[in-house]
Amino acid sequence: MNFPAELSYTQDHEWIRMEADGTAVVGITDFAQHELGDIVYVDVSSTGQSLAKGDVFGSVEAVKTVSDLFLPIEGEILELNPAIEKSPELLNSDPYGEGWIIRVKPADSGDKDGLLTAEAYQELVGA
């Protein structure tokens, strides 16, 4: 499994990457997509909303289950990745690239409380 060192992770299996423009990109980890199996649908109805850290911002539907998605930081949901609306399987094939889920405008770009390093996340999932 892949755990890019430049990303931060949550105990709920989301990753977050801060961008140069001050926004953040959020997706699910390689571990999460592997556990879910074939992803068939992504539901994010919170675009345009400001949510607290830990709030549910959507869900991922796989062949065998539905899993909630939790926001790693407080902020406003700016957009849903248009590519995954047409091809949700991108979460399986490229979870850290084309399979990103949302772009967020952080309320506080320095808020890293509770986020894990790649090493700490690997330890959490036993990889």
Side-chain angles (χ1 to χ4, degrees):
M1 269 181 241
N2 187 13
F3 305 97
E6 70 275 10
L7 303 177
S8 295
Y9 300 85
T10 71
Q11 292 187 7
D12 296 312
H13 312 292
E14 286 87 19
W15 58 263
I16 183 168
R17 178 181 66 230
M18 298 306 294
E19 300 290 298
D21 65 1
T23 63
V25 174
V26 176
I28 63 169
T29 66
D30 193 19
F31 175 83
Q33 70 80 21
H34 185 274
E35 291 293 303
L36 287 167
D38 294 335
I39 295 170
V40 295
Y41 184 69
V42 179
D43 178 30
V44 175
S45 56
S46 55
T47 304
Q49 296 179 24
S50 291
L51 300 175
K53 180 179 188 168
D55 281 357
V56 173
F57 70 84
S59 63
V60 173
E61 184 177 333
V63 173
K64 59 183 179 181
T65 189
V66 175
S67 183
D68 285 338
L69 297 166
F70 300 94
L71 197 59
I73 58 169
E74 180 181 353
E76 179 186 351
I77 312 297
L78 297 175
E79 71 172 313
L80 169 64
N81 179 355
I84 65 169
E85 289 185 273
K86 296 178 188 136
S87 303
E89 67 275 6
L90 286 171
L91 275 75
N92 292 117
S93 62
D94 192 10
Y96 301 117
E98 294 299 313
W100 62 273
I101 300 174
I102 58 169
R103 185 174 305 277
V104 179
K105 179 182 177 186
D108 176 2
S109 61
D111 180 18
K112 298 277 189 182
D113 287 348
L115 296 178
L116 306 171
T117 63
E119 296 78 23
Y121 182 71
Q122 275 183 277
E123 213 172 283
L124 174 76
V125 299

